[in-house]
Amino acid sequence: MRKIFLSMLMSASLLVGCNSNEGKEGVNSAEILQTDWDELVEMAEGAEVGMYMWGGDQGVNQYIDDYVVPKLKENYDITLNRYPMDIQDILSKLMTEKQAGRQSGTVDIIWINGENFRNAKNNELLFGSFAQQLPNLQMYIGEELPYVHYDMGTQIEGYQAPWGNVQFVLNYNTDLVDEPPQSIAELTEWVKRNPGKFTYPNVTDFTGNAFVRHFLYNVVEESQMLESYNESWLEISGEEVWETLRSFKEFLWRNGNTYPETLAQLDQLYAKGEVAFTMGFNEHRTKSLIEDGVFPDSTKTLVLSPGSISNTHYLSIPFNSSEPAAAMVAINFMLSPEAQIKKMDSAMWGEGTVIDLSRLTDEQRDEVNKVLGPSSISNDDILAELDSRYHDWILRKWEYEVVQ
């Protein structure tokens, strides 16, 4: 059946012209994006897709390998292969293929968000506006939620589909921290009183950059002033951010002369007891790490005033995917209540969902509450993610303002 539909699309593509991107040679992306969903599902049968994604979290990898892979094979006869790779390397690979005119690539699904999505979209590295075709996005997420339309200030326009929603937290060892700080000001003082016991990742790492983005909220008088990129405010108040970070630099791990390059490296320092804190986007991640013996039992989760930035991550399809129909079917499955609830389970991944819970059945909502448990984040603590140009500002300024 899959061959029949591919043949139909190959014939139809001759009528469309050659201006649209092509995925599998001879299959026009415009035709894929206009194809009925049931036909796309039949086209996807027997396909093999490559999912390229960050591979630095054991729980994430386990969720894909032990749950998503067998479910896609069982339900749709799709073979999903996971390839661990940093997103910058993925985008570099796609850019090289685009410059070389390679219209049939090996990357079919990518895990992406923020400034990387903005760069991929601006450089035309993405397949097209596919997200609104996904039945599960329409049925269980809807069009009302802001993260369906904007990703850190970049208009999405269907080029990616929301996959997970998480909050930024600090995790700390109660054996090393008697009275945990409650604000950025208190954290600054704690670091000074406990030299060598705190650090944060280099701001080239998304988590390290997010840690610094909280200092913008700490400085601004009204959070609404940061709703869009505010360059004039940065010129006036940005120096206060750097002054605060510089004030405790010499008291950091290794005197602030070096920083962990990744969150995984910071987690290792924390697990070995070299530092008293780690951090990250996912208020539920510590449960599985404690159960697996990675983090000590004495680990607790903390949100500092003025609050916790909320971040959404997405799945997208590259411009030259060889199997765009199968990629869409796979992404649609990963947005289903079944797959989203499984992803919340700390025995797998353990993170927040993008689903609008009001769209679920009572039974499904009960399952969500059972899997997630009580949240460490109150609604009053949630801060909106900032425009990706703030991320870029931190990248440009941090090393000169803080490290040197």
Side-chain angles (χ1 to χ4, degrees), residues 73-136:
K73 188 65 177 177
E74 174 187 348
N75 295 346
Y76 302 101
D77 192 25
I78 294 174
T79 300
L80 178 71
N81 300 310
R82 178 179 63 83
Y83 297 98
M85 184 182 290
D86 288 343
I87 184 60
Q88 290 83 3
D89 295 330
I90 297 170
L91 297 185
S92 177
K93 172 182 170 65
L94 293 175
M95 181 65 76
T96 299
E97 292 179 354
K98 188 173 186 66
Q99 291 172 346
R102 183 176 178 185
Q103 293 299 310
S104 182
T106 58
V107 185
D108 300 298
I109 301 172
I110 53 176
W111 186 15
I112 193 170
N113 77 337
E115 78 285 355
N116 293 309
F117 170 69
R118 183 195 67 206
N119 293 336
K121 187 184 178 196
N122 289 345
N123 286 286
E124 300 182 342
L125 300 181
L126 302 178
F127 177 71
S129 183
F130 73 93
Q132 277 66 36
Q133 279 184 268
L134 306 179
N136 285 332

Side-chain angles (χ1 to χ4, degrees), residues 20-72:
S20 301
N21 291 336
E22 292 183 351
K24 175 169 287 189
E25 187 173 354
V27 179
N28 192 282
S29 63
E31 288 295 315
I32 292 286
L33 295 173
Q34 295 170 14
T35 300
D36 178 78
W37 181 255
D38 290 337
E39 293 180 0
L40 288 176
V41 172
E42 292 191 65
M43 288 172 59
E45 289 182 21
E48 187 169 345
V49 297
M51 183 171 182
Y52 283 65
M53 55 185 289
W54 176 66
D57 187 288
Q58 181 179 349
V60 175
N61 298 340
Q62 181 183 356
Y63 171 73
I64 297 296
D65 296 342
D66 296 350
Y67 177 74
V68 174
V69 168
K71 281 292 185 179
L72 286 175

Side-chain angles (χ1 to χ4, degrees), residues 184-231:
I184 285 180
E186 290 184 13
L187 175 65
T188 300
E189 293 305 312
W190 188 95
V191 173
K192 293 177 180 178
R193 294 194 307 269
N194 299 272
K197 285 299 181 181
F198 185 88
T199 190
Y200 58 95
N202 188 306
V203 300
T204 57
D205 175 86
F206 190 75
T207 300
N209 197 288
F211 175 73
V212 175
R213 292 201 295 278
H214 284 80
F215 285 73
L216 294 172
Y217 271 113
N218 189 56
V219 169
V220 73
E221 293 181 3
E222 298 289 340
S223 61
Q224 291 82 357
M225 296 175 66
L226 299 178
E227 285 183 351
S228 58
Y229 185 64
N230 193 335
E231 190 168 4

Side-chain angles (χ1 to χ4, degrees), residues 55 131 138 149 168 200 236 253 268 283 313 322 342 349 359 387:
Q138 296 298 326
H149 301 285
F168 189 94
Y200 58 95
I236 298 171
W253 174 74
Q268 291 171 4
E283 64 273 33
H313 54 89
S322 297
K342 192 69 174 180
W349 185 336
R359 294 171 177 253
D387 189 293

